[in-house]
Amino acid sequence: MNTLEERVLSIIEKNSRVDTKELAILLGTEESEILAAMEKLEQEDVICGYHTMIDWDKTGVDKVTALIEVRVTPQRGKGFDEIAERIYKYPEVTSVYLISGGYDLMVTLEGKSLKDVSSFVTNKLSTLDTVIATTTHFILKKYKDHGTIMTRHHEDQREMITP
Amino acid sequence: MNENANHVLSDTCVGLKPSGIRKFFDIVSEMTDAISLGVGEPDFDTPWHIRDEGIYSLEKGRTFYTSNSGLKELKKEVAAYMKRSQNLRYDYNSQIFITVGGSEAIDLMFRAMINPGDQVLIPTPCYVSYDPCARLAGAEPVIVELKEENEFRLKAEDLEKKITDKSKILVLPFPNNPTGSIMTREDLRPIAELCIKHDLYVLSDEIYGELTYEGRHVSIASFPGMQERTIVVNGFSKAYAMTGWRLGYACGPDWIISQMIKIHQFAIMCAPTTSQYAAVEALRNGDEDVRMMRESYNERRRFVLYSLKKMGLPCFEPKGAFYAFPCIKEFGMTSDEFATRLLQEEKVAIVPGTAFGDCGEGFLRLSYAYSIDNLKKALARLERFVTRLRAK
């Protein structure tokens, strides 16, 4: 990875709305260079998508997020990949990580209600053959997500001073 | 006011001109909806790990004075920084001390070295404190004009014309506030030769040194024969976004530093203890923060230059600090008029160049220590303003 690609990634990771012309200005290069770099990064699946950070708590739309620790029996020849795939294919699952330590998979789940989430865990997740145990943690409040502090105020606190 | 005030007060103090930025900011502060590109301090918060060390020092009850010259571990870290950044060796015990911001060190060097009638050479436009501090110390400030055609670098021939047998100190304020100009190794060499030839001492104000966007900052102290005649002034405000912590330092020959410490101990005692503990963390583990902030300023710098070019305002490429210094001579008004009208008509605050010396006439100091969004809004308004002026 060259420095231009790295800079592009670190800027768009924070702000995916910045356009390619502006990126070229910020990084002191041509727009064609930026377009080429981004196309390459997309093709290599380095850039996997362009998302928006939303604090749903402020919208009145009902959403519940849970972190579920899952212990599984790895399968011969396939390790954890097959069970992970079976879990991540559910659209309500927003992330699946293989984790070191006391359990194997960390699953993030979004539902409309507690009932939604618990029915997923009891009916779909726990019933998978290789799943040995699950522990469900409901998220009560998000303070910071993807490097963004949810309650941060942005006003300029610098005062007028001379010289 | 007391009618006898002028008999009672110090003539020198009364005679000092009030800061030009002050007057301008007084108008700005009356306006609630103005967008400012006027502030000369970083918009970043101090990195959390540095703040955390400050808090930790308070929790541990480190609420006492430090020694006059500063915490030993901080002075050692400053010595290590001078070695790794400029390959300069300073004895932490006798050649380095910690001040209340770089500005205290400026004041102290003048007071420690000036005798009545001595001249201080001040390349201008520049930060506004050198002139009054030199006057308060009893010196006669001598302006050396920096020229746009030289990208506001100091040229040996311009300096030499101003040197007299009374010249004692040369102020070297680079990277420069307000122009953003820097001095490369090649630019500094003839200046160093002149200093040695004419026995000048140098106040090298390197507070923006880490904010250099092409190559690395070069200190004049790193030239042969210069370390023994240079006081390097630096601090934590700009590089680590620590303005409110009020912490700087001076490095130089022990026989000057010891005199500066003498004044410091009577006037100040010591720099703030909490800040000193935080600064140790900054120097030990803050390089990555500095790199990240420099990268971010550099992006904004490019954006500002692009926008100025697009609206046809001439501006040389500033390679340091966080200021651009565009020229507005085509509009046939003074910097002050331009800035005042811009503020009234478009509600954008940009400091007139004359706040930094008479030779700043025809220029504006545009600070880019602002978010890109803020810069976009302000520059769009500036463009609208200049388009309107040209249409008339």
Side-chain angles (χ1 to χ4, degrees), chain B residues 35-102:
Chain B
I35 309 181
S36 176
L37 296 183
V39 177
E41 66 177 307
D43 60 322
F44 296 99
D45 293 336
T46 305
W48 175 249
H49 66 105
I50 298 173
R51 283 188 273 163
D52 195 39
E53 278 303 313
I55 294 165
Y56 181 65
S57 79
L58 290 174
E59 284 175 350
K60 294 281 274 184
R62 288 167 181 161
T63 56
F64 304 99
Y65 296 128
T66 66
S67 77
N68 294 113
S69 65
L71 278 178
K72 183 169 145 187
E73 51 188 314
L74 179 56
K75 289 186 290 178
K76 281 185 167 172
E77 287 301 331
V78 170
Y81 170 77
M82 293 306 287
K83 180 76 181 70
R84 71 174 181 266
S85 66
Q86 298 295 334
N87 201 23
L88 284 167
R89 280 181 195 284
Y90 287 97
D91 172 31
Y92 78 88
N93 203 25
S94 61
Q95 298 179 317
I96 290 173
F97 84 110
I98 309 301
T99 58
V100 180

Side-chain angles (χ1 to χ4, degrees), chain A residues 66-70 87 93-97 103 105-109 120 125:
Chain A
L67 299 177
I68 307 163
E69 303 169 8
V70 186
I87 295 172
V93 169
T94 55
S95 72
V96 178
Y97 302 118
Y103 57 97
L105 297 173
M106 164 67 86
V107 175
T108 318
L109 190 72
F120 177 86
L125 199 56

Side-chain angles (χ1 to χ4, degrees), chain A residues 7 21-22 25-26 158 163, chain B residues 41 128 299 302 306 376:
Chain A
R7 286 307 300 156
K21 182 163 182 270
E22 188 177 323
I25 296 165
L26 297 180
R158 293 175 290 176
Chain B
E41 66 177 307
V128 298
E299 287 162 9
R302 293 188 187 115
Y306 168 85
K376 265 187 203 165

Side-chain angles (χ1 to χ4, degrees), chain B residues 118-365:
Chain B
D118 287 345
Q119 291 177 340
V120 174
L121 295 151
I122 307 178
T124 309
C126 68
Y127 177 61
V128 298
S129 288
Y130 309 120
D131 181 289
C133 286
R135 284 179 200 276
L136 286 167
E140 181 195 338
V142 175
I143 304 297
V144 185
E145 272 190 39
L146 300 172
K147 296 176 187 144
E148 188 192 17
E149 70 246 37
N150 300 323
E151 301 197 330
F152 295 100
R153 292 159 196 241
L154 177 61
K155 290 289 175 184
E157 56 268 29
D158 294 335
L159 174 61
E160 191 154 30
K161 280 182 211 148
K162 296 296 178 105
I163 296 174
T164 69
D165 52 3
K166 289 180 183 165
S167 306
K168 183 178 266 181
I169 296 175
L170 166 65
V171 177
L172 211 51
F174 294 96
N176 182 267
N177 170 11
T179 65
S181 176
I182 62 166
M183 294 283 278
T184 62
R185 188 165 287 283
E186 288 63 44
D187 295 323
L188 286 170
R189 187 167 292 119
I191 305 294
E193 283 163 9
L194 270 188
C195 291
I196 292 169
K197 183 174 156 198
H198 295 280
D199 195 23
L200 294 178
Y201 286 81
V202 177
L203 166 57
S204 187
D205 185 347
E206 303 181 14
I207 191 78
Y208 290 99
E210 284 293 340
L211 303 182
T212 300
Y213 306 108
E214 274 182 25
R216 275 200 71 105
H217 170 69
V218 181
S219 174
I220 198 164
S222 62
F223 283 80
M226 286 308 295
Q227 191 175 0
E228 52 264 47
R229 54 176 64 251
T230 302
I231 296 289
V232 173
V233 171
N234 205 335
F236 298 87
S237 295
K238 314 296 179 180
Y240 299 94
M242 291 179 70
T243 46
W245 300 77
R246 306 310 307 123
L247 207 65
Y249 53 87
C251 310
D254 52 6
W255 57 274
I256 304 176
I257 291 288
S258 61
Q259 297 301 318
M260 290 168 71
I261 293 177
K262 203 197 283 176
I263 309 171
H264 171 80
Q265 72 186 6
F266 292 131
I268 305 281
M269 307 271 290
C270 69
T273 303
T274 311
S275 305
Q276 293 192 55
Y277 279 104
V280 170
E281 171 66 15
L283 284 174
R284 278 187 190 155
N285 298 311
D287 287 1
E288 183 55 25
D289 302 297
V290 175
R291 195 191 63 77
M292 187 277 293
M293 289 189 270
R294 178 172 46 229
E295 200 68 62
S296 183
Y297 290 129
N298 197 7
E299 287 162 9
R300 301 163 185 195
R301 181 182 72 101
R302 293 188 187 115
F303 182 78
V304 165
L305 285 176
Y306 168 85
S307 306
L308 290 173
K309 197 173 167 190
K310 194 160 102 343
M311 67 182 91
L313 279 188
C315 184
F316 81 100
E317 186 186 345
K319 291 180 180 156
F322 37 60
Y323 308 104
F325 207 58
C327 174
I328 47 119
K329 287 177 181 166
E330 64 171 292
F331 302 102
M333 47 176 127
T334 66
S335 300
D336 212 45
E337 280 166 353
F338 187 97
T340 309
R341 278 189 58 186
L342 176 64
L343 183 58
Q344 283 162 347
E345 294 175 29
E346 290 290 346
K347 300 196 188 309
V348 176
I350 303 181
V351 183
T354 40
F356 307 92
D358 293 339
C359 53
E361 186 56 89
F363 298 89
L364 302 174
R365 185 194 75 169

